[in-house]
Amino acid sequence: ASQEAYGTLVDAVGACGVADAATVAFAVWSALHGLTDIATAGIQPPRADTPGATELAAGVIGMCVEYVRRCAASAS
């Protein structure tokens, strides 16, 4: 299942116009996987006033989207 999901991510990144979709998808996959592992382990942010899990996930996803956009722009 994970290989199929990764393949879908590679296809989606490639559809954005990224030349080396597999490498960019690997970076995105790694960032999201790390966030998921940390959250699943119950590790909490270091400070009580840190945004909640939803906000943190949105931030990491936003960074990944921006990375894909920059890679697509540099491929054009």
Side-chain angles (χ1 to χ4, degrees):
S2 63
Q3 288 293 83
E4 185 175 333
Y6 178 70
T8 300
L9 180 60
V10 171
D11 292 345
V13 169
C16 293
V18 175
D20 188 1
T23 299
V24 172
F26 182 80
V28 169
W29 182 274
S30 298
L32 296 175
H33 193 277
L35 178 66
T36 303
D37 279 354
I38 289 168
T40 302
I43 299 171
Q44 299 297 314
R47 297 186 340 256
D49 63 342
T50 301
T54 300
E55 292 83 6
L56 291 172
V60 172
I61 292 167
M63 288 187 306
C64 291
V65 168
E66 182 57 30
Y67 176 59
V68 171
R69 284 183 179 151
R70 283 187 290 128
C71 290
S74 69
S76 331

